Amino acid sequence: MGVMVVTGASAGIGRAVAEAALAEGWQVACLARSEDKLAEVAAQGDGLAAACDVSDAAAVERAFAEVVAKFGRIDLLFNNAGMFPPAALPDEVTLEDWDACIAVNLTGMFLCARAAFAQMRKQTPRGGRIINNGSISGQVPRAKSLAYTTTKHAINGMTKQIALDGRDFDIACGQIDVGNARTGLLANMDAAATKTAEPTMDVANVARSVLHMASLPLEANVLNMTVMASAMPFVGRG
């Protein structure tokens, strides 16, 4: 095992991954804005709770410095923190909602990937792995979700670019696209879009998939994995 950083670790997919990783013996740094909930997760093993708004560059740098100060290195980043703005048709999307979504889902993931990449490049032994949490929305859009869908398409490019640039430094980068894991975020998305209920799956399946990607040696990489509810249609989300 090694040292894993999980963003958005206070709830949903992030919490499920952090708890599963702690159970497997990883040292896990749990990052999110809700520090009280993080403490509950970190206490389940060799963990660290670090309050961090991923859209704040200074906060990200402080949090990653805290991780290195405690554990000495970073072997894996699960770049997971995200948000879903109110559902709206394109002409109804407010600039405030657009900016908030971009700040967390795109800039926040960049800031965390940048911090992890910098540490992985200079540590000894060198290298590590970054796993970005994309979304099935990066493949097939969800109705009334322009900002969210745009950010998740952008993560596709971010993942490929980091995978390319990391080659010379033993840094692997992959992405997991999730379709309808049962979390609070999914409930908010479906309620906001006023869609009929779609097939869902236990979030534990996502955690198992992430840990499989994390278990590979750095000579191997899952560039992209899609894990979704079996009965979920692959197309026709709109």
Side-chain angles (χ1 to χ4, degrees), residues 5-8 31 52-57 59-61 63-64 74 77-81 104 106-120 130 132 158 162:
V5 177
V6 179
T7 65
L31 276 57
C52 179
D53 178 349
V54 298
S55 67
D56 182 333
V60 170
E61 291 301 320
F64 276 75
I74 296 173
L77 165 65
F78 181 44
N79 209 4
N80 164 73
V104 175
L106 185 53
T107 302
M109 292 190 76
F110 155 70
L111 291 172
C112 292
R114 181 178 69 169
F117 195 102
Q119 174 60 32
M120 292 171 180
I130 296 170
N132 292 325
M158 181 186 293
I162 295 173

Side-chain angles (χ1 to χ4, degrees), residues 29 57 90 99-101 117 126 133 163 168 170 173 178-181 205 210 219 232:
D99 286 344
C101 189
F117 195 102
R126 187 178 68 176
N133 189 356
D168 292 337
D170 301 317
C173 184
V178 179
N180 287 7
N205 295 308
V210 171
E219 67 177 6
M232 180 179 172

Side-chain angles (χ1 to χ4, degrees), residues 139-158:
Q139 303 177 28
V140 183
R142 179 182 291 270
K144 300 180 181 180
S145 61
L146 178 61
Y148 184 83
T149 296
T150 299
T151 60
K152 293 307 181 179
H153 275 73
I155 297 306
N156 294 336
M158 181 186 293

